[in-house]
Amino acid sequence: MAKVPDDAAKTERARLLLERGKRLGELDRPAEALIAEEEAVAIRRQLAATDPDDHRSDLAESLINLGVALSQLDRAAEALMVEQEAVAIYRQLAASSPDRYRFDLAESLTSLGVTLSELGRAAEALGAEEEAVVLYRQLVGTDSNDYRPELAKCLTSLGVTFSELGRPAEALGAEEEAVAHYRELVATDSGDYRPDLAESLFNLASRLSEVDRLAEALTAEKEAITIRRQLVATDPDRYRRDLAESLTNLGVRFLEVDRPAEALIAEGEAVALYRQLAATDSGDYRSDLAKCLINLGAILSQVDRPAEALSAEQEAVMIYQQLAAADPGRYRPDFADSLTNLAVTLSELDREEEARRAWERAEIIRAKR
């Protein structure tokens, strides 16, 4: 009889550890979260060994959370192992009780797909994501309002994976379906799914571009920007970066349809936004600003304004030089590429000696890799 309260105490401790781990993860304290999640898994393993019917699902839940904590610490290979174990448990449970465990299996497969993608195993990620989509579709068929967001999110991941595997038509189909679900959610749900719709349209534009449907890609990009402007108006700190990213892509879309003057306007606005972001948090946004300045310089060159292109590229070089000094492994290639772009523009301005020095400096940096 003494075993019952002992197991009850273990169950409660595991639950509290699980919640603690989640909170610590949300507070960006992944090392502490990992300790809590590992202990929760250990307790639930003991309980599942003695009473699997009552505790296997709890063990799978803890394994998923442990995978999240490991991923936050860039330990994807270990996260993969625990996520595979969780999927195996949920498969067994869903086989005997599909209505109860179908969602858990779909969710665990989604997590597994993300980790496989992080490890560069796109073909395996595709299998997990496709299976998850099938399950989410079944769930949407029974209760669309509860499960449509998960289906849409999984379809977006599936689209990215198809694209990585060189299957653009299937990537486009997945993203088009995701957009349709988000449109339905925006139209009918009390929650705010506009950010998700904007993100999905942003991805759809890339998928359309991959299959040379350039006018449609431009339309999708413009719609994403319209939504993101509305979001920035109400919460600029949260959505300004998303708008800047969309504007950068809008510049690319305008170039694809040979409208460089409009591309220049979009890229100029993106640079202004990234300047604001870099002024408040330089560590996160200076690289974005430098990349956008490179794009701006390329467009300025295309519209025959090389002096202004030079100014943009010189600023990008200065930023990348600072970033490469602090983190050479990450930013040295960008620094070299920015010098190469600068050399091209200097040459266009007949400043050949300066161009030669920039070329040589870029090659020296590349040789250090």
Side-chain angles (χ1 to χ4, degrees):
M1 296 295 293
K3 182 180 177 182
V4 174
D6 183 52
D7 280 359
K10 286 181 179 179
T11 300
E12 179 61 12
R13 175 158 178 75
R15 186 190 67 79
L16 293 172
L17 285 164
L18 189 73
E19 292 304 315
R20 174 174 167 77
K22 288 179 181 179
R23 287 197 303 273
L24 288 167
E26 291 167 359
L27 293 170
D28 197 24
R29 293 161 62 182
E32 295 170 82
L34 178 63
I35 294 170
E37 299 294 358
E38 285 179 326
E39 187 177 348
V41 166
I43 293 170
R44 285 180 166 176
R45 279 198 195 283
Q46 294 174 359
L47 292 166
T50 58
D51 192 349
D53 290 341
D54 282 349
H55 295 291
R56 275 189 303 164
S57 63
D58 294 332
L59 172 58
E61 180 190 22
S62 282
L63 287 164
I64 291 294
N65 283 282
L66 177 58
V68 170
L70 288 164
S71 293
Q72 288 177 332
L73 290 166
D74 296 323
R75 292 165 61 176
E78 295 166 87
L80 177 64
M81 293 176 63
V82 298
E83 286 166 358
Q84 287 173 325
E85 184 181 355
V87 166
I89 294 170
Y90 279 133
R91 278 195 200 286
Q92 294 170 351
L93 293 167
S96 58
S97 184
D99 290 343
R100 183 175 178 185
Y101 292 109
R102 187 181 287 126
F103 174 74
D104 295 314
L105 176 56
E107 196 173 37
S108 65
L109 284 162
T110 301
S111 297
L112 179 62
V114 170
T115 302
L116 286 164
S117 293
E118 289 174 357
L119 291 167
R121 295 163 63 171
E124 295 168 86
L126 180 66
E129 289 165 354
E130 286 184 311
E131 185 179 355
V133 163
V134 170
L135 292 168
Y136 282 131
R137 283 189 180 130
Q138 294 170 359
L139 289 161
V140 166
T142 60
D143 192 339
S144 61
N145 287 335
D146 279 351
Y147 299 110
R148 198 184 296 275
E150 285 81 6
L151 173 57
K153 184 177 180 180
C154 194
L155 283 162
T156 293
S157 295
L158 181 62
V160 171
T161 304
F162 272 131
S163 182
E164 289 174 352
L165 291 169
R167 296 164 63 174
E170 292 160 289
L172 175 60
E175 199 60 64
E176 285 178 325
E177 186 181 347
V179 166
H181 285 297
Y182 281 128
R183 287 196 193 285
E184 184 72 19
L185 287 163
V186 168
T188 62
D189 200 283
S190 58
D192 191 358
Y193 288 98
R194 288 179 303 156
D196 300 299
L197 175 57
E199 180 70 17
S200 194
L201 286 161
F202 176 85
N203 292 328
L204 176 62
S206 296
R207 304 289 85 81
L208 286 163
S209 179
E210 288 171 2
V211 296
D212 294 323
R213 290 165 58 177
L214 304 182
E216 293 168 87
L218 181 60
T219 298
E221 206 77 67
K222 285 181 176 179
E223 186 180 355
I225 285 173
T226 297
I227 296 169
R228 285 177 166 172
R229 286 196 194 283
Q230 295 168 354
L231 294 168
V232 167
T234 58
D235 193 345
D237 291 341
R238 183 174 179 184
Y239 294 111
R240 189 181 287 129
R241 183 177 191 174
D242 293 334
L243 177 57
E245 190 177 29
S246 277
L247 286 162
T248 295
N249 271 27
L250 181 63
V252 173
R253 304 297 161 231
F254 275 128
L255 287 178
E256 288 174 341
V257 295
D258 197 25
R259 292 161 64 176
E262 292 161 285
L264 183 61
I265 293 170
E267 207 67 55
E269 186 180 352
V271 165
L273 288 170
Y274 279 127
R275 283 196 198 286
Q276 294 171 9
L277 290 162
T280 59
D281 192 343
S282 61
D284 280 348
Y285 297 112
R286 279 189 301 163
S287 62
D288 294 320
L289 172 58
K291 189 181 297 184
C292 198
L293 285 162
I294 293 291
N295 293 338
L296 179 63
I299 298 169
L300 285 163
S301 290
Q302 191 167 337
V303 297
D304 199 26
R305 291 162 62 176
E308 293 166 89
L310 178 65
S311 177
E313 288 165 1
Q314 285 173 326
E315 185 179 356
V317 166
M318 180 187 69
I319 294 169
Y320 277 131
Q321 183 174 7
Q322 295 168 350
L323 292 169
D327 190 347
R330 182 177 180 184
Y331 290 111
R332 191 181 287 133
D334 295 316
F335 183 26
D337 290 344
S338 69
L339 283 164
T340 299
N341 289 332
L342 180 63
V344 171
T345 303
L346 286 165
S347 184
E348 289 173 356
L349 290 165
D350 296 322
R351 294 165 61 171
E352 296 297 341
E353 180 57 27
E354 293 170 88
R356 182 187 63 79
R357 289 199 297 269
W359 279 110
E360 290 176 351
R361 191 178 180 193
E363 290 307 306
I364 290 169
I365 293 167
R366 290 191 178 98
K368 292 179 180 178
R369 292 183 186 180

